[in-house]
Amino acid sequence: MAILLDETHDAKRTSWVAGANQHADFPVQNLPLGVFSVRGDTPRGGIAIGDAVFDIKAACEAKLFSGDADKAARAAGASTLNDLMVLGAGPRAALRKQVSALLAEGTPESARAMPLAAKLLHKAADCTLHLPAKIGAFTDFFAGITHAENGGKRRGANPPLTPNYKYVPVAYHSRASTVRPSGVSVRRPNGQRVVDGEQLPTFGPCLKMDFELELGIWIGHGNTWGDPIPMSRASEHIYGYCMLNDWSARDIQRWESQPLGPFLSKNFGTTISPWIITPEALAPFQIAQPPRPDGDPKPLPYLWDDNDQREGQFDLDIEVLIHTEGMRAKGAPPQRISASNTRHLYWTVAQMVAHHTCGGCSLEAGDIFGSGTISGPTPENYGSIAELSFDGTRDITLASGEIRRWVQDGDDIYLRAHGRRDGYSIGFGDCCARMMAGGR
Ligand code: CA
């Protein structure tokens, strides 16, 4: 279902909140949902605006909402947003509309909100951001076709793609319990791996640590067990988006994934950006799914929908930055090592939802998907260090003079995403975590 653009998307709308206008991530056109706390108080729902967090519960107590927006705001007062997500698109869009009016310059609603600014707004620097929902299940897709091809080439497969790839949105069930929000360090795992030059496995720390540049997808209200979600209804179940770093222990993965796929190489930690970017905020950045190359099969009918083909993909610039201990010591900023775009996904999010449920699997509010690593066609667009270093065989020389073939202890890895249009941009906020030494 197309989301109609309205006054909340108007590039000319400005906010009275200091720092919001021209903010690269959180101008008034974005308004992402999250869960925050201030100096250890009770976590609750909030909305990012500039360098501040809008307190939904405080606004609710001040009776600033009505109708569906009020219903949404009450649900968002909880310490996770699962109850809000169950409500679906209508209340979410209503809340967005009323918050936009409260925070915009020159609206009648803003005249009610501005005198309450001290209660309604918290400095983002004073806030801790939490996971926005209790995650019941985490599924990781493999929809970045260049990443899939590069992986096949590394394994020596010819052709590099398996015969199912262009028919099936390939995925595996990953681990929900180890997903953490940006800012939480991840510990290098121990595991079985065959060290280069050896024949037999040993147990020890991962020696080939990697990141993966992925779009995360939040599921809103679910489906009944046994009832597939058709393509035409898929968008109703998608609650929003984040960035997702699917940390990957490549040496452990290579040894264990025969024949069933990733297990311990992927389940030790996943980092997500904590703000839920809504489908409404991303509506201006929707694009047609790029046509498949000549000779590729048309998706089977249960994965085909004309509307989805017309508007089911996104034009979002996505990137990976590294900030090593050495760079931090010198006061140097993070360095970009990859730049890609979500348009390189071979499958749309609606196709992922329809495929996930076609056999009757039930999704639930708070489930999360990873898109798969979104590499672009050229090496500058590769979304994992295994691709950038050609499986650890080529040096990546950083501006600091440091060299990387894999992620080292002390490296901060940032994922970022931006939609750009009409002189404004909306961003996803940081998806950053530091790789820490193992040691257990
Ligand atoms: Ca992945």
Side-chain angles (χ1 to χ4, degrees):
M1 192 76 82
I3 296 171
L4 299 177
L5 300 191
D6 59 25
E7 72 277 11
T8 68
H9 302 98
D10 184 351
K12 294 196 189 70
R13 178 165 269 197
T14 53
S15 173
W16 53 267
V17 178
N21 303 325
Q22 300 302 315
H23 195 279
D25 286 344
F26 305 131
V28 73
Q29 288 82 6
N30 192 347
L31 304 178
L33 297 155
V35 169
F36 75 101
S37 58
V38 188
R39 297 184 199 89
D41 67 1
T42 309
R44 57 204 182 272
I47 289 177
I49 176 74
D51 296 318
V53 175
F54 175 82
D55 191 325
I56 299 173
K57 194 173 184 183
C60 209
E61 285 166 0
K63 301 194 175 356
L64 293 177
F65 298 119
S66 60
D68 262 4
D70 188 56
K71 190 172 156 191
R74 286 171 194 279
S79 59
T80 67
L81 299 184
N82 298 69
D83 289 350
L84 173 65
M85 296 163 98
V86 167
L87 299 178
R92 180 186 65 220
L95 181 64
R96 168 184 171 81
K97 219 166 204 182
Q98 291 191 18
V99 172
S100 176
L102 290 167
L103 297 178
E105 255 174 334
T107 58
E109 292 86 347
S110 68
R112 294 177 61 204
M114 287 174 73
L116 302 172
K119 277 199 175 121
L120 298 178
L121 297 171
H122 308 277
K123 280 185 193 163
D126 294 339
C127 296
T128 302
L129 297 173
H130 306 272
L131 283 180
K134 178 158 177 49
I135 302 173
F138 167 26
T139 303
D140 198 35
F141 282 84
F142 197 46
I145 191 167
T146 304
H147 175 74
E149 282 171 339
N150 287 339
K153 287 176 191 162
R154 283 204 306 280
R155 289 193 305 276
N158 186 19
L161 288 178
T162 50
N164 60 350
Y165 188 85
K166 292 175 178 177
Y167 291 90
V168 177
V170 172
Y172 66 98
H173 289 297
S174 195
R175 187 74 189 165
S177 67
T178 53
V179 179
R180 292 291 181 277
S182 181
V184 178
S185 296
V186 173
R187 199 178 280 269
R188 181 179 297 269
N190 289 322
Q192 276 196 40
R193 72 279 192 268
V194 180
V195 174
D196 285 345
E198 295 186 8
Q199 300 295 318
L200 295 173
T202 48
F203 184 84
C206 163
L207 301 173
K208 297 184 174 180
M209 178 54 63
D210 203 351
F211 54 80
E212 292 195 325
L213 173 62
E214 303 196 24
L215 181 69
I217 298 111
W218 287 103
I219 298 299
H221 77 96
N223 56 311
T224 307
W225 183 38
D227 288 350
I229 299 171
M231 285 292 297
S232 60
R233 309 292 299 263
S235 63
E236 297 167 28
H237 298 266
I238 298 163
Y239 204 77
Y241 300 88
C242 62
M243 290 306 288
L244 185 150
N245 180 356
D246 179 27
W247 294 99
S248 298
R250 296 294 178 206
D251 44 359
I252 297 171
Q253 183 180 2
R254 175 73 61 92
W255 175 241
E256 75 178 358
S257 298
Q258 312 171 57
L260 279 189
F263 183 39
L264 307 185
S265 55
K266 300 279 194 173
N267 74 2
F268 59 92
T270 303
T271 304
I272 62 168
S273 55
W275 292 107
I276 300 175
I277 312 299
T278 64
E280 288 74 29
L282 291 187
F285 309 100
Q286 285 183 283
I287 55 170
Q289 173 68 347
R292 291 184 160 201
D294 285 345
D296 282 13
K298 184 176 174 177
L300 296 177
Y302 80 100
L303 292 174
W304 184 268
D305 180 84
D306 287 335
N307 288 332
D308 183 55
Q309 289 294 310
R310 265 198 302 276
E311 62 190 29
Q313 200 47 272
F314 294 107
D315 176 15
L316 298 172
D317 295 325
I318 53 175
E319 55 187 338
V320 183
L321 300 92
I322 188 168
H323 205 201
T324 67
E325 217 170 313
M327 292 157 84
R328 293 195 299 272
K330 286 182 192 162
Q335 181 182 341
R336 187 165 83 177
I337 53 174
S338 175
S340 184
N341 189 290
T342 45
R343 65 172 64 236
H344 298 305
L345 286 168
Y346 193 74
W347 298 99
T348 67
V349 175
Q351 287 171 322
M352 296 176 202
V353 170
H355 182 66
H356 203 308
T357 61
C358 72
C361 175
S362 48
L363 302 178
E364 293 178 355
D367 286 356
I368 194 168
F369 295 174
S371 63
T373 308
I374 311 172
S375 294
T378 61
E380 307 86 71
N381 327 126
Y382 289 171
S384 68
I385 206 166
E387 293 168 272
L388 292 166
S389 72
F390 293 81
D391 205 19
T393 62
R394 295 190 201 169
D395 290 342
I396 301 165
T397 304
L398 303 174
S400 59
E402 295 167 287
I403 286 170
R404 288 291 180 273
R405 291 186 174 195
W406 302 102
V407 177
Q408 301 297 314
D409 294 340
D411 289 351
D412 288 339
I413 299 295
Y414 289 79
L415 309 186
R416 288 183 180 154
H418 290 94
R420 297 184 169 90
R421 165 184 186 257
D422 296 344
Y424 78 88
S425 76
I426 69 166
F428 281 46
D430 274 337
C431 176
C432 172
R434 183 167 302 172
M435 181 48 55
M436 303 287 283
R440 279 159 304 180

